[in-house]
C-alpha cells in the first residue's frame, strides 16, 4: 500500500526519512516500517532475525536467486549466502536485498568452513539418493539450507558438504520443482517448526 506525504505535526522520530515524509512512501514494506529509513529498518530486523540461513550455488547466474532473496526477507532469515559467482540477477529480489544480509563465498569449501564456525548445520535440499522427506523431518533450529542451480541441482561438492539432505514430496511427472519454489517451501517448513508465530502482524 502506498502512503502519501506525512500529514500533521512533523514527527521527531530519528528512524523516519525526511524525504519519504515529504514525498510519500511507495515502497513494498509492512505498515510499521512506513517512512522509516532503510538503515532503521535493517537495524530493527537485526533484532529479530532467525537462526535460519539460506545458501544458493551460483555457477550459471541462476535467475531464481532474486526470488529466493525476496522470500528470505519475508521470513527474516539470518542471512543469504551466494556460493560461486558473486554477480546475480537482482531483479527478482524486488529491492528486498536492501533489508537482507547477503554474503558471498567463492566456493563450497569456504562456505562450509563459515557454516562450521557459525555453528550451523548445513541441510541440502535436493531429491538425491539418500534424501529424507522434508514433510516428515524436523529441521535443525540452527541451520543453513543449501540449494543448487535450477536444473542440475546441488553439485557433488555441495552435496558432500551437507550434514543432511531433504527432498520435497512430488507427485507429478517433472523430476524437480523450481528452485525458488523449493526454497520457499523449505523456509516455510522451518518457520512452522521454530518461529514465534504470535509475533506476526497481518
Amino acid at each position: 500500500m502506498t502512503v502519501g506525504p506525512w500529514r500533521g505535526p512533523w514527527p521527531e522520530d530519528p528512524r523516519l526519512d525526511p524525504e519519504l515524509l515529504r514525498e510519500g512512501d511507495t515502497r513494498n514494506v509492512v505498515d510499521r516500517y512506513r517512512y522509516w529509513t532503510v538503515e532503521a529498518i535493517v537495524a530493527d530486523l537485526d533484532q529479530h532475525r532467525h537462526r535460519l540461513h539460506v545458501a544458493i550455488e551460483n555457477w550459471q547466474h541462476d535467475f531464481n536467486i532474486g526470488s529466493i532473496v525476496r522470500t528470505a526477507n519475508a521470513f527474516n532469515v539470518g542471512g543469504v549466502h551466494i556460493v560461486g559467482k558473486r554477480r546475480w540477477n537482482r531483479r527478482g529480489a524486488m529491492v528486498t536485498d536492501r533489508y537482507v544480509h547477503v554474503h558471498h563465498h567463492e566456493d563450497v569449501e569456504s562456505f562450509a568452513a563459515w557454516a562450521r564456525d557459525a555453528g550451523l548445520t548445513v541441510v541440502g535440499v535436493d531429491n538425491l539418493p539418500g534424501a529424507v522427506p522434508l514433510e516428515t523431518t524436523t529441521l535443525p533450529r540452527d541451520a543453513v539450507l543449501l540449494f543448487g542451480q535450477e536444473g542440475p541441482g546441488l553439485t557433488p561438492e555441495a552435496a558432500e558438504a551437507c550434514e543432511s539432505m531433504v527432498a520435497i514430496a512430488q507427485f507429478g511427472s517433472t523430476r524437480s520443482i523450481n528452485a525458488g519454489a523449493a526454497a520457499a517451501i523449505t523456509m516455510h517448513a522451518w518457520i512452522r517448526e521454530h518461529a514465534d508465530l504470535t509475533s506476526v502482524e497481518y
Side-chain angles (χ1 to χ4, degrees):
M1 181 184 72
T2 297
V3 293
W6 181 266
R7 294 184 177 181
W10 198 256
E12 297 181 1
D13 189 335
R15 297 172 299 185
L16 303 181
D17 185 322
E19 183 177 349
L20 293 176
L21 290 169
R22 286 192 304 268
E23 305 296 332
D25 192 348
T26 62
R27 300 173 302 175
N28 181 21
V29 296
V30 296
D31 289 345
R32 70 183 304 257
Y33 291 139
R34 286 297 176 195
Y35 303 113
W36 286 33
T37 66
V38 170
E39 294 76 16
I41 294 173
V42 171
D44 191 66
L45 290 172
D46 284 346
Q47 301 299 314
H48 312 285
R49 293 200 190 274
H50 293 119
R51 283 289 291 169
L52 174 67
H53 288 244
V54 180
I56 315 105
E57 287 194 284
N58 183 34
W59 310 116
Q60 303 168 350
H61 296 301
D62 193 333
F63 67 89
N64 286 284
I65 293 177
S67 63
I68 292 173
V69 169
R70 184 177 181 181
T71 304
N73 167 257
F75 294 135
N76 200 25
V77 304
V80 175
H81 301 262
I82 310 298
V83 182
K85 294 182 179 179
R86 183 181 296 274
R87 294 185 61 188
W88 54 278
N89 188 337
R90 285 170 166 74
R91 241 183 338 181
M94 302 290 287
V95 305
T96 56
D97 53 306
R98 297 178 183 177
Y99 310 104
V100 179
H101 297 297
V102 179
H103 310 275
H104 175 251
H105 305 270
E106 291 186 0
D107 50 35
V108 172
E109 183 179 3
S110 60
F111 161 73
W114 167 84
R116 285 193 302 271
D117 292 342
L120 298 174
T121 300
V122 180
V123 179
V125 183
D126 205 340
N127 52 0
L128 295 172
V132 297
L134 172 65
E135 295 75 16
T136 58
T137 301
T138 298
L139 295 169
R141 177 180 175 273
D142 300 330
V144 52
L145 304 175
L146 178 57
F147 299 88
Q149 289 278 183
E150 182 76 21
L154 291 170
T155 62
E157 295 81 7
E160 183 67 24
C162 297
E163 298 178 54
S164 63
M165 187 77 64
V166 298
I168 298 168
Q170 297 176 208
F171 303 91
S173 61
T174 304
R175 180 184 179 279
S176 62
I177 63 175
N178 173 273
I185 290 169
T186 313
M187 280 187 264
H188 189 255
W190 188 97
I191 290 294
R192 292 187 64 182
E193 294 171 7
H194 300 293
D196 176 13
L197 300 181
T198 62
S199 64
V200 178
E201 298 178 7
Y202 297 101

